[in-house]
Amino acid sequence: MANLLSLNDLTVSEIDEILDRAEQIREMGDAGWFAPNHLLVANLFFEPSTRTRFSFETAEKRLGLQVLNFSSAASSTQKGETLYDTVRTMQAIGAKAVVIRHKKDEYYRELLEGIDVKILNAGDGAGNHPTQALLDLLTIHQEFFAFRGLTVAIIGDLRYSRVARSDAEVLNRLGCQVLLSGPEEWKNEKLPGKYVPVDDAIEAADAVIMLRIQHERHETAMKLTKEEYHDRYGLTRERAERMKPESIIMHPGPVNRGVELDGDLVESAHSRYFKQISNGVVARMAALEWALDLKDGRQASEPERIAEKL
Amino acid sequence: MANLLSLNDLTVSEIDEILDRAEQIREMGDAGWFAPNHLLVANLFFEPSTRTRFSFETAEKRLGLQVLNFSSAASSTQKGETLYDTVRTMQAIGAKAVVIRHKKDEYYRELLEGIDVKILNAGDGAGNHPTQALLDLLTIHQEFFAFRGLTVAIIGDLRYSRVARSDAEVLNRLGCQVLLSGPEEWKNEKLPGKYVPVDDAIEAADAVIMLRIQHERHETAMKLTKEEYHDRYGLTRERAERMKPESIIMHPGPVNRGVELDGDLVESAHSRYFKQISNGVVARMAALEWALDLKDGRQASEPERIAEKL
Amino acid sequence: MANLLSLNDLTVSEIDEILDRAEQIREMGDAGWFAPNHLLVANLFFEPSTRTRFSFETAEKRLGLQVLNFSSAASSTQKGETLYDTVRTMQAIGAKAVVIRHKKDEYYRELLEGIDVKILNAGDGAGNHPTQALLDLLTIHQEFFAFRGLTVAIIGDLRYSRVARSDAEVLNRLGCQVLLSGPEEWKNEKLPGKYVPVDDAIEAADAVIMLRIQHERHETAMKLTKEEYHDRYGLTRERAERMKPESIIMHPGPVNRGVELDGDLVESAHSRYFKQISNGVVARMAALEWALDLKDGRQASEPERIAEKL
């Protein structure tokens, strides 16, 4: 029972456990819905989100959790409340876990003391996005059954993307070769990985992760038009033809068609774009079970918890 | 099992079937709540709405469906995602149906291929609003037990109102005489029906449907004050007195009291305004059952489906 | 079965009954969740709120009610609908109760006739906030087991605070001595209580209720900086040290740390800030049960209702 702030806090065996469970739930199909329980979870999204919020909410409902949804525009944070007080309030109301997206890097630092609810990080600024990394790992594992020795290219906004950071760190730790590429001004020396030209990255990779251009974060930072970006750094149809036969295309979404990816590639045979989204639900179910110590939608009993550790 | 985009896509016998089922559910009263199931439905309202969204949400909850609610202001559509990608994402998350309101006429055209969830149109621009038409039909049928031979007046913004269009087309098809009236600049030659002066329409009609002035759609289009509009085209108390004794007043809501209708008429003996809203819930339950092939809140088995067709 | 608009409408024995039931539910802990029923409740928050809305929503879910949430920004009230028509619409949709927060004082006056759903006031302008008063009473009662003879200080924005008004009136009625203090321009001659200097109030009180500065309501009204306000009218650490040993600190939230209260006092031994929030859920459960005539999350039968009255 722990927070999920960054995959860096998890051991490889904990990551494996979560991925195995996610795959197990996926295989259960419609049986992977559990009876309602009395555990309250609050989704606190201080930044707009469709896919991540709906993905978490669906995961929570399938686990039988009771869900509170927070839309930052309609809330007391306008009244100047600290994040600590908001989360501590959710605890007082009875929440057992909170899922938080916030534009501030490591917003969770102020929540590490005094809070007794589990925190699942749904994205902190340019920091981490651990459940996105989990679903990306799940998607890659479904394809290649292992991580060690794979080559994964991460291309685009390496500087501000929390997806890039979360993916690069965990893929590197799991033994993948990480190739990085994108505009010079978005280079990020802190990421583990090797910078190579876009064409080289795409040709060498088993999995190509194209990052979203976050127009809402740095509107003026990039001087290229969308067409220019696509030509220089995007996955064009020409580049896609030079990918390895078994390689896959990934993207954290929402995709800007014709910018990061040629629109026709979104649902191409190589693409796992919508599969990633489906994987997001089961990955988040497994992550919530892990954080809340759940077993098939109810809290694990003490003997079950001990058995689990053996 | 089909989309519900416009009533034009439905046969008369399909419409009858939905209306019969709606009436049946209405008569069940409190027993018309079904056990929770594992079918996920997303309400995607890209335009503001209270009554339609709450009506659909209540219908979904009474059917035992699992509901996701989307508020366009807090979503990724701000991030430039296409509607296709948003809906395809809901499918990947596990939704079996999406209820969509969108300001764009026939937004659903881009969803007809590649999407494998049922789409229920909750209003497209100045296009269609099929569940509003269903609840209007149900309201008229409860009163007159038939459609053929009835005279229905539709008065007001005939040009931009999707209610006018949906109602006029289906009422005409079902054998009603449709009378149309309203400001000259809002005439719509495409609507089936006969233009007559307001007073004539009101005096001849069995049902008078007063359309809402959509201030948010064409603020400057109309040069009349509210009082002038009411005097010339509204249902004043004087006009109401000249209605036939058994005739009824309808309005899709929300009503601008004193503009389309004299405020005192909203809950008068002739008015079915709030009854329409109640009918909306059962009409939408029946529509969702039809679209999702449900039977008392669960998916129909193969034998049940075959029996249904006999 | 009645509305909950102001505690002034309730007898002392009704208030006692609600408080007893709230305490009983609190002691039930996790057993204080009841089976889902088919009663629909709509939360209509026309002003931003986190804690009150989540508190009511949690209370409703624990009672097994079906919940509709209304975000005023995304609704038809933008389309000019009256509050009466909105609430009457919720009734037509099937709601049995509506929880309303609205910036207009006594907004509920227009709802007293023609509406057949229970109205629970979640705050009307500078009027009343009865469920906040209930949770404050519950918090005080848990500490002192009685009200008569207690001294309660209410400090701050006495003019615009509905919490001040609701608390002062009911505490005075229940036999507490109410001390009032705060800036001269926020004095409110209508409140029952005795004006005294801040230091005197804090030293004499068994319970000190510090009111929130409502920056969003009167931005320019106050000429003091936050620091100046804190020094003159806030609960500083120095003042807190002069409180009676058994006395408690309360605040309706959200707190402006360093303004009404020194930040360190929010979770001090004297503070009941987060306990108030927890009490809010059970107080609202009891209030909903009272308003809707519920018994353990289902509607009381006629014999039960009669037995109750004996």
Side-chain angles (χ1 to χ4, degrees):
Chain A
M1 198 156 170
N3 295 327
L4 183 64
L5 306 176
S6 158
L7 291 191
N8 295 337
D9 305 331
L10 273 64
T11 64
V12 170
S13 97
E14 283 177 305
I15 293 171
D16 280 347
E17 183 195 321
I18 293 173
L19 295 178
D20 285 353
R21 176 58 177 162
E23 186 61 25
Q24 192 182 18
I25 294 170
R26 196 183 69 81
E27 285 164 9
M28 292 170 80
D30 208 41
W33 284 79
F34 305 107
N37 56 48
H38 297 151
L39 298 172
L40 195 65
V41 175
N43 297 319
L44 309 181
F45 279 73
F46 296 90
E47 285 193 319
S49 165
T50 307
R51 90 195 44 240
T52 306
R53 209 263 288 164
F54 274 169
S55 179
F56 263 111
E57 187 174 351
T58 302
E60 292 153 4
K61 286 182 167 166
R62 288 181 58 176
L63 288 171
L65 301 167
Q66 306 294 321
V67 184
L68 297 175
N69 279 313
F70 170 95
S71 150
S72 90
S75 89
S76 280
T77 51
Q78 294 178 323
K79 298 185 192 169
E81 195 179 44
T82 64
L83 182 60
Y84 175 90
D85 285 339
T86 298
V87 174
R88 185 65 187 75
T89 292
M90 298 316 304
Q91 176 183 327
I93 283 173
K96 301 305 182 205
V98 291
V99 174
I100 302 178
R101 167 165 292 187
H102 200 287
K103 68 168 185 286
K104 191 178 158 194
D105 282 30
E106 302 193 340
Y107 65 78
Y108 47 76
R109 290 220 165 270
E110 60 173 301
L111 306 177
L112 298 180
E113 277 182 42
I115 298 289
D116 190 29
V117 296
K118 295 305 142 194
I119 298 161
L120 290 103
N121 182 9
D124 64 297
N128 282 275
H129 195 349
T131 59
Q132 177 72 40
L134 285 171
L135 76 88
D136 285 343
L137 292 178
L138 185 62
T139 305
I140 291 169
H141 198 270
Q142 284 165 357
E143 220 60 44
F144 304 104
F145 309 104
F147 297 104
R148 188 155 304 279
L150 288 182
T151 299
V152 180
I154 305 179
I155 297 171
D157 177 358
L158 298 161
R159 186 143 180 194
Y160 299 101
S161 168
R162 53 198 175 208
V163 177
R165 186 171 160 190
S166 296
D167 278 355
E169 288 176 350
V170 73
L171 288 165
N172 179 63
R173 186 146 69 103
L174 293 172
C176 296
Q177 184 186 25
V178 176
L179 301 180
L180 305 170
S181 198
E184 190 64 28
E185 62 269 40
W186 288 345
K187 269 199 171 173
N188 182 348
E189 296 304 335
K190 288 182 200 150
L191 292 187
K194 190 178 152 193
Y195 277 88
V196 298
V198 170
D199 292 287
D200 296 0
I202 288 171
E203 287 171 33
D206 297 294
V208 175
I209 300 174
M210 301 304 296
L211 301 170
R212 199 172 74 79
I213 299 193
Q214 304 183 63
H215 298 295
E216 68 279 15
R217 282 189 202 277
H218 39 75
E219 287 178 40
T220 56
M222 205 180 62
K223 282 143 201 156
L224 302 177
T225 65
K226 291 176 179 188
E227 291 71 21
E228 287 170 340
Y229 183 89
H230 185 61
D231 286 348
R232 292 202 206 166
Y233 308 108
L235 189 53
T236 59
R237 265 174 293 184
E238 292 68 35
R239 287 196 180 103
E241 277 166 23
R242 282 178 276 127
M243 288 178 68
K244 297 201 288 190
E246 306 299 315
S247 64
I248 62 173
I249 300 169
M250 298 166 65
H251 187 292
V255 66
N256 295 300
R257 284 170 179 253
V259 186
E260 303 104 37
L261 283 192
D262 183 281
D264 289 347
L265 296 175
V266 175
E267 296 185 79
S268 70
H270 283 279
S271 171
R272 297 297 174 269
Y273 181 68
F274 289 113
K275 193 173 189 191
Q276 285 175 277
I277 296 169
S278 297
N279 282 335
V281 176
V282 292
R284 289 179 176 113
M285 287 177 77
L288 282 158
E289 283 192 334
W290 176 83
L292 281 166
D293 220 349
L294 297 175
K295 186 127 189 120
D296 295 346
R298 58 189 174 76
Q299 273 189 304
S301 63
E302 199 49 39
E304 281 171 339
R305 261 178 267 193
I306 292 164
E308 200 97 313
K309 302 292 165 205
L310 296 180
Chain B
M1 198 155 169
N3 294 327
L4 183 64
L5 307 175
S6 156
L7 291 191
N8 295 336
D9 304 332
L10 273 64
T11 64
V12 170
S13 96
E14 283 177 306
I15 292 171
D16 280 346
E17 182 195 322
I18 293 173
L19 294 178
D20 285 353
R21 176 57 178 163
E23 186 62 25
Q24 191 182 18
I25 294 171
R26 197 183 68 81
E27 285 165 8
M28 292 170 79
D30 208 42
W33 285 80
F34 305 107
N37 56 48
H38 297 151
L39 298 172
L40 195 65
V41 175
N43 297 319
L44 308 181
F45 279 73
F46 296 90
E47 284 193 319
S49 165
T50 306
R51 90 195 44 239
T52 307
R53 209 264 286 164
F54 274 168
S55 180
F56 263 112
E57 187 174 351
T58 302
E60 293 154 4
K61 286 182 167 166
R62 288 181 59 177
L63 289 171
L65 301 167
Q66 307 293 321
V67 184
L68 296 175
N69 279 314
F70 170 95
S71 150
S72 89
S75 89
S76 279
T77 52
Q78 294 177 323
K79 298 185 192 168
E81 195 178 45
T82 64
L83 183 60
Y84 175 90
D85 284 339
T86 298
V87 174
R88 186 65 186 74
T89 292
M90 296 317 305
Q91 175 184 327
I93 284 173
K96 300 305 180 205
V98 291
V99 174
I100 302 179
R101 165 165 293 186
H102 200 289
K103 70 169 184 285
K104 191 178 159 195
D105 282 29
E106 302 193 341
Y107 64 79
Y108 46 78
R109 290 220 165 270
E110 59 174 301
L111 306 177
L112 297 181
E113 277 182 40
I115 298 288
D116 189 29
V117 296
K118 295 306 143 194
I119 297 160
L120 290 104
N121 182 9
D124 64 297
N128 280 277
H129 195 349
T131 58
Q132 177 72 41
L134 284 172
L135 74 89
D136 285 343
L137 292 178
L138 184 62
T139 305
I140 291 169
H141 199 269
Q142 283 166 357
E143 218 62 44
F144 305 105
F145 309 104
F147 297 105
R148 189 156 304 279
L150 289 182
T151 299
V152 180
I154 305 179
I155 297 170
D157 177 358
L158 298 161
R159 186 142 179 194
Y160 299 101
S161 169
R162 52 200 175 206
V163 177
R165 185 170 160 191
S166 296
D167 278 354
E169 288 175 352
V170 74
L171 288 165
N172 179 64
R173 185 147 69 104
L174 294 172
C176 295
Q177 184 185 26
V178 177
L179 302 180
L180 303 170
S181 198
E184 190 64 27
E185 62 268 40
W186 288 346
K187 270 198 171 173
N188 182 349
E189 296 304 336
K190 289 183 200 149
L191 292 188
K194 187 178 153 195
Y195 277 88
V196 298
V198 170
D199 291 287
D200 296 359
I202 288 172
E203 288 171 33
D206 297 295
V208 175
I209 299 175
M210 301 304 298
L211 299 170
R212 200 171 75 80
I213 298 193
Q214 304 182 65
H215 298 294
E216 70 278 15
R217 281 189 203 279
H218 39 75
E219 286 178 41
T220 56
M222 203 179 63
K223 282 144 199 155
L224 303 177
T225 65
K226 291 176 178 187
E227 291 72 22
E228 287 169 341
Y229 183 90
H230 185 60
D231 286 348
R232 291 201 207 167
Y233 307 108
L235 189 53
T236 60
R237 265 176 293 183
E238 292 67 36
R239 287 194 180 104
E241 277 166 24
R242 281 178 279 127
M243 288 176 68
K244 297 202 287 191
E246 306 298 314
S247 64
I248 61 173
I249 300 169
M250 297 167 65
H251 187 292
V255 65
N256 295 299
R257 285 171 179 253
V259 185
E260 302 105 38
L261 282 192
D262 183 282
D264 289 348
L265 295 175
V266 175
E267 296 186 79
S268 70
H270 284 279
S271 172
R272 297 298 175 270
Y273 181 68
F274 289 112
K275 193 174 189 190
Q276 284 175 278
I277 296 169
S278 297
N279 282 334
V281 176
V282 293
R284 291 180 174 112
M285 288 176 76
L288 282 157
E289 283 191 336
W290 176 83
L292 280 166
D293 221 349
L294 297 176
K295 187 129 188 117
D296 296 344
R298 58 190 174 75
Q299 273 190 303
S301 63
E302 200 49 38
E304 282 171 339
R305 262 179 269 193
I306 292 164
E308 201 96 313
K309 304 291 166 205
L310 296 181
Chain C
M1 197 155 170
N3 295 326
L4 183 64
L5 307 175
S6 156
L7 291 191
N8 295 335
D9 305 332
L10 272 65
T11 63
V12 170
S13 96
E14 283 177 307
I15 294 170
D16 280 346
E17 184 196 320
I18 293 173
L19 294 179
D20 285 353
R21 176 58 177 162
E23 186 62 26
Q24 192 182 18
I25 295 170
R26 196 182 68 80
E27 285 164 8
M28 291 170 79
D30 209 42
W33 284 79
F34 305 107
N37 55 50
H38 297 151
L39 298 172
L40 194 67
V41 175
N43 297 319
L44 309 181
F45 279 73
F46 296 90
E47 284 193 319
S49 165
T50 308
R51 90 196 43 240
T52 306
R53 208 264 287 164
F54 274 168
S55 180
F56 263 112
E57 187 173 352
T58 302
E60 292 153 6
K61 287 184 166 164
R62 288 181 58 176
L63 288 171
L65 302 167
Q66 306 293 323
V67 184
L68 297 175
N69 280 313
F70 170 95
S71 150
S72 90
S75 88
S76 279
T77 52
Q78 294 178 324
K79 298 185 191 167
E81 195 179 44
T82 64
L83 182 60
Y84 175 90
D85 284 339
T86 299
V87 174
R88 186 66 187 73
T89 293
M90 297 318 303
Q91 175 183 329
I93 283 173
K96 300 305 180 205
V98 291
V99 174
I100 302 178
R101 167 165 292 187
H102 201 289
K103 69 168 184 285
K104 190 178 160 195
D105 284 28
E106 301 194 341
Y107 64 79
Y108 46 77
R109 290 220 164 269
E110 60 173 299
L111 307 177
L112 297 181
E113 278 182 41
I115 298 289
D116 190 29
V117 296
K118 296 305 141 194
I119 298 161
L120 289 102
N121 182 8
D124 63 297
N128 280 276
H129 195 349
T131 58
Q132 177 71 41
L134 284 172
L135 75 88
D136 285 343
L137 291 178
L138 184 62
T139 305
I140 291 169
H141 198 270
Q142 284 166 355
E143 220 60 44
F144 304 104
F145 308 105
F147 297 105
R148 189 156 303 279
L150 288 182
T151 299
V152 180
I154 306 178
I155 298 171
D157 178 357
L158 298 161
R159 187 144 180 192
Y160 299 101
S161 168
R162 52 199 175 207
V163 177
R165 185 171 160 190
S166 296
D167 278 354
E169 288 176 350
V170 73
L171 288 165
N172 179 63
R173 185 146 69 104
L174 293 172
C176 296
Q177 185 186 23
V178 177
L179 301 180
L180 305 170
S181 199
E184 190 63 29
E185 61 269 39
W186 287 346
K187 269 197 172 175
N188 182 347
E189 295 305 336
K190 288 182 199 150
L191 293 188
K194 189 177 151 195
Y195 277 90
V196 296
V198 169
D199 291 287
D200 296 0
I202 288 172
E203 288 172 33
D206 297 296
V208 175
I209 299 174
M210 300 304 297
L211 302 169
R212 200 172 74 80
I213 299 193
Q214 304 183 65
H215 298 294
E216 69 278 14
R217 281 190 202 278
H218 39 75
E219 287 177 41
T220 55
M222 205 179 62
K223 282 144 200 155
L224 303 178
T225 64
K226 290 177 180 189
E227 291 71 22
E228 287 168 340
Y229 183 89
H230 186 60
D231 286 346
R232 291 202 208 169
Y233 307 108
L235 189 53
T236 60
R237 265 176 293 182
E238 292 68 35
R239 287 194 181 104
E241 277 166 24
R242 281 178 277 127
M243 288 177 67
K244 296 202 288 190
E246 306 299 314
S247 64
I248 61 173
I249 300 169
M250 298 166 65
H251 187 292
V255 66
N256 296 298
R257 285 171 178 252
V259 186
E260 302 105 39
L261 283 192
D262 183 281
D264 288 347
L265 296 175
V266 175
E267 295 187 80
S268 69
H270 283 279
S271 173
R272 296 298 174 271
Y273 181 68
F274 289 113
K275 192 173 188 190
Q276 284 174 278
I277 296 169
S278 296
N279 281 335
V281 176
V282 291
R284 289 178 175 112
M285 289 177 77
L288 283 158
E289 283 192 335
W290 177 83
L292 281 166
D293 221 348
L294 297 176
K295 187 127 190 121
D296 296 345
R298 58 189 174 76
Q299 273 189 304
S301 63
E302 198 51 38
E304 281 171 338
R305 261 179 268 193
I306 293 163
E308 200 96 314
K309 303 291 167 204
L310 297 181

